[in-house]
C-alpha cells in the first residue's frame, strides 16, 4: 500500500481488532489535543490538528501488532499519555493514528527505592502504590493527578521536587526504560543509565516508551505553606534563602508577584491583595526553621496545611509550574507565558532586571530548582499577549540578558529547550524509526534522507 | 567556703551520695582526656590536665543537685559526653569536677521525623531507636559508635551527611534543647529554634545540655563504595561532580590522596598503591548513575559493600572526617592535621594550589559538604609535623590564599572555628553561668568582670 493512497480507517480498526480503536468525533478531538492553547501562536497553528483513529493497545503485544501494521502501511503514529503537554508534544501533525497508552498502567515492582512501571500509569497512581511503602516520586509536574509517567518522561522536564533533585536530565533520575521501535518487526529495547537520554523529552519521536524504571525518593510528611511578602524582590530573596538553607527540607518553592497570584481564585481569601507570595512545600520537621526564616525576611505566613489534608482548596502544587498559567487563562484567555532560566551567581539581579523592564506586561512567576548542584530559578512569567512580534521581542531581550528561553510557543523539539539538534536523539531515531513515522513533524533535524 | 581553700574530694563525694562519683586514678585519667593528642601543640599543653572527681548524675534532678552544690562551693564543672573531641573540649583545665553525662541516655520520643533524646545518648543508640521507624541522623561525626548527641552538639560541627544537610550551624538542624544553668538554684531552660545557637559548639561553657530535639532524615538503603583515581586532582573533580549531580543521593564524599590513604590498613588490600581515592556512601537507587559517573571521570571502583553488611572492615565512615587522622596516627605518631575550608567558585583550584605548594608535607584529605546551598570541601589535611612555627606557616599560607582555617591546635573556643567572639554565646554565658564555673578557661572573651 502506498503512503499517499487514501486509507479506509474503518478497515484499519477492523484489521486491528480486538485492539480497541476509537473513531468517534469526540474521542478523536479529545485525544488529538493537549494544552497547546496556552500559546496563542500554537493555538493558531495547531487548532485544526486531528488524528484519524485512536488506538488503545492493552499490552505490549497489542502495541507491537499496531506498530507493525502501521509500519507496513506507512501510517503516522503519535504516542500519547495523559495529554497534559503544553506544546502539542502528543498532537498528530500529520494525522494518522494516536496511540493512547493509558491501558499500559501496571505497577510492576518496587524494590529498594526503585519502581518499575508501565508508561501509561498515572503519576498519582504510581504514588498510590509507592507511598504506603515510604517512597514517593522525586519530582512531578503540576499535572500529577492526570499525567502519565511515560508522558512526563517523553514530554516533560522537571517539576515539584526539582528544588531537591534537579530535573529529568540530571544523571540518575531515570534508571531505565523499555521502548518499542517502529520497524517491520518492532523490537522492544531495554535501555539503562545514559542510554535512556535520547528517548527522554523526545516527544515519542524515536520509539514508544512502554516501561520505566524510576528511582524514587523517601517520602516525608509534607506541609503546604504560603508566605506573603510586600514585593517580588523580597519573595524572590526568600525563595533563594530557603533553597540555600541546607537544613530545611523542601519540595517546592514557587514565587509569584500579585499580578500572577491574583488569578488563584481558591486561594484569594488567604492572600493579601497587592502582595507577592511564596508557595512552599516543606517537611514537617523543618516547619519551625521555615517560620523563623520567613519572619526574619519580612514574610507573613498566610496559609498552612498538612499536604495530606483534603479540603476544598486543590493541592498547592496545582497553583505552580504550568498550572500557574492555567489559573490566569481561566480568567483571561489573552494571557500566555514564557519559560526562561535565571541562573548564575547574579540570578536574583537578572530577575530584578526582567521585572523592572517588563513590569505588569509579564507578571512574574518563579520556580526555584537545583541545577548542577546550584540554586537557580525558572521564570515561567505570564505574558499579557499583544502579538507574536512583541512576544519574540521579550524573548530576545531575555536571551540577550543572560536568561536562556525554552520557547513554549513552538512544537518543534529543537526550537524548544535545546536550541540545537540533539545528535544522539537523531541518531537514535535513525535506528528506531527509519521511516520517520513516529510523531512526524516534531523533530526538525529529521528528514527522510536521514534514514 | 572560699574557692581557694583546699577541697576534700572524699567529702564532696559523700555529700553528693547517692549520686555516683568516681575518684580512682584510672577513671580520673580516662574521663579527663579526649583526642587532644591529635595535636602535638595541645598534647604538650594539656597532657597533665585532670579532674579531681568524676560525677555521674543519673537524671536531671541529680544533675541539678550537683550543680547547686558546686555553685555554692565554687567548684569548676566540665560537662562531658563520649570524650571524642579533638581539641580538649571536655577537658577540665582548672580541675574540679568532670560531669559525666552518659547515664542521661533516654530516647524520649520520635514523631514525624523529630527525635527528643537525653544528651548522653550515644549516636549509635539514637539510630537504634529511629532506624526501625525509617529515620536516621541527618549527619554524624565519624565517632558515631562512641560519641553522644550532647557532646556532638556542644563540641562538633558536621560530619557524615553534611554533604546533604550542611552542618549544625545551618538553620533547622537543631530544633530545641534543654539546658541547666550554673546558679545557686540551677534552672532548666527550654530553648527553641535560633535560641539554641549560643549553646551549639560552646563546649558546655554556658550551660549543661540535658535534652535535645533533633530533626532526623528519612533513612535510605546505603552502599559504601571506594573509587580509585590516578591522582588527587581527578578524585577531587569527581567529588565535586558527584556533589553537583542532583539526581544522585549521597551521604558521604571523602577524597584522600595516597599519602593519606596509605594508612587505612584494613582497606589496603582493596586499594591501588599510589592512587587517590574517593570514599562514598550512596543510596542504593543511585548506584548505577554513580558507577557511570565514576567511570566517565576515569575512576575505578575498588570496593563496594552494603552499608548494613557487617564484616571485618569497619564502617567506611570510620576512615573519614577525624578518623582519617586517627589511622595515620596509629602508624606514625608524628603526624597531625589541619581543618580548612575550600569554598567559592574556584575551590577546586584552591585545593590544587595547596597540593602543589605543600605536596607530601600535607597529605590531602577532603570532606565534601554543602554550605549555604553550595558545594564546598573541608580540607582535613594531614601534616607531617616539624614544629609549631612551621605548622602556623602552613596555616597562614592557607588563610592568605582564601582558605579559612578552623585551628584544631587550640582549646580556646574563639581561636578555633569562629575567630571572633560570639557575642550571643558570651551574653548567654553571663546569664547561665555568672560565676564562670562551667568548663573554665575555654571561652577567651569571658572574665569574671563579665558577670
Amino acid at each position: 500500500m502506498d503512503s499517499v493512497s487514501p486509507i479506509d480507517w474503518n478497515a484499519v480498526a477492523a484489521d486491528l481488532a480486538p485492539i480497541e480503536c476509537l473513531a468517534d468525533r469526540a474521542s478523536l478531538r479529545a485525544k488529538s489535543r493537549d494544552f497547546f492553547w496556552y500559546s496563542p501562536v500554537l493555538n493558531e497553528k495547531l487548532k485544526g490538528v486531528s488524528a484519524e483513529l485512536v488506538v488503545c493497545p492493552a499490552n505490549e503485544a497489542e502495541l507491537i501488532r499496531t506498530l507493525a501494521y502501521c509500519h507496513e502501511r506507512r501510517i503516522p503514529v503519535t504516542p500519547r499519555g495523559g495529554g497534559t503537554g503544553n506544546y502539542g508534544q502528543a498532537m498528530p501533525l500529520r494525522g494518522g493514528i494516536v496511540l493512547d497508552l493509558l491501558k499500559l498502567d501496571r505497577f510492576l515492582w518496587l524494590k529498594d527505592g526503585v519502581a518499575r512501571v508501565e508508561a501509561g500509569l498515572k503519576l498519582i497512581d504510581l504514588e498510590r502504590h509507592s507511598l504506603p511503602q515510604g517512597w514517593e516520586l522525586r519530582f512531578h509536574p503540576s499535572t500529577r493527578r492526570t499525567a502519565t509517567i511515560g508522558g512526563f518522561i517523553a514530554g516533560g522536564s522537571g517539576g515539584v521536587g526539582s528544588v531537591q533533585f534537579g530535573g529529568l536530565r540530571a544523571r540518575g533520575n531515570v534508571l531505565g526504560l523499555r521502548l518499542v521501535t517502529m520497524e517491520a518487526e518492532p523490537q522492544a529495547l531495554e535501555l539503562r543509565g545514559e542510554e535512556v537520554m535520547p528517548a527522554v523529552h523526545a516527544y515519542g519521536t524515536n520509539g514508544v516508551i512502554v516501561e520505566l524504571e524510576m528511582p524514587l525518593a523517601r517520602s516525608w510528611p509534607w506541609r503546604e505553606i504560603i508566605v506573603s511578602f510586600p514585593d517580588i524582590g523580597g519573595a524572590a530573596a526568600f525563595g533563594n534563602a530557603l533553597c540555600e538553607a541546607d537544613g530545611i527540607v523542601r519540595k517546592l518553592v514557587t514565587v509569584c508577584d500579585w499580578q500572577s497570584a491574583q488569578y488563584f481564585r481558591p486561594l484569594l481569601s488567604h492572600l493579601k491583595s497587592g502582595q507577592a507570595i511564596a508557595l512552599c512545600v516543606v517537611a514537617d520537621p523543618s516547619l519551625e526553621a521555615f517560620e523563623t526564616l520567613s519572619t526574619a525576611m519580612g514574610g507573613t505566613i498566610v496559609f498552612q496545611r498538612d499536604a495530606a489534608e483534603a479540603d476544598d482548596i486543590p493541592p498547592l502544587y496545582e497553583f505552580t509550574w504550568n498550572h500557574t498559567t492555567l489559573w490566569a487563562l481561566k480568567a483571561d484567555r489573552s494571557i500566555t507565558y514564557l519559560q526562561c532560566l535565571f541562573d548564575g551567581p547574579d540570578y536574583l539581579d537578572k530577575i530584578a532586571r526582567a521585572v523592572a523592564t517588563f513590569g505588569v506586561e509579564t507578571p512574574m512567576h518563579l520556580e526555584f530548582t537545583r541545577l548542577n548542584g546550584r540554586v537557580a530559578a525558572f521564570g515561567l512569567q505570564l505574558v499579557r499577549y499583544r502579538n507574536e512580534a512583541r512576544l519574540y521581542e521579550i524573548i530576545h531581550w531575555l536571551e540577550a540578558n543572560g536568561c536562556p528561553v525554552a520557547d513554549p510557543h513552538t512544537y518543534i523539539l529543537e526550537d524548544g529547550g535545546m536550541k540545537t539538534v540533539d545528535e544522539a536523539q537523531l541518531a537514535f531515531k535513525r535506528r528506531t524509526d527509519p521511516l520517520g513515522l513516529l510523531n512526524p513533524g516534531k523533530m526538525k533535524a529529521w528528514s527522510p534522507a536521514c534514514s
Side-chain angles (χ1 to χ4, degrees), chain A residues 3-4 6 26 45 59 64 132 212 232 242 380:
Chain A
S3 64
V4 292
K45 290 182 183 163
N59 51 48
I64 287 176
L212 285 150
I232 179 73
L242 181 57
L380 278 77

Side-chain angles (χ1 to χ4, degrees), chain A residues 312-330:
Chain A
D312 53 345
I313 294 177
L316 218 53
Y317 64 75
E318 289 189 356
F319 296 90
T320 70
W321 292 86
N322 280 335
H323 262 75
T324 309
T325 313
L326 188 58
W327 287 105
L329 279 163
K330 281 182 186 180

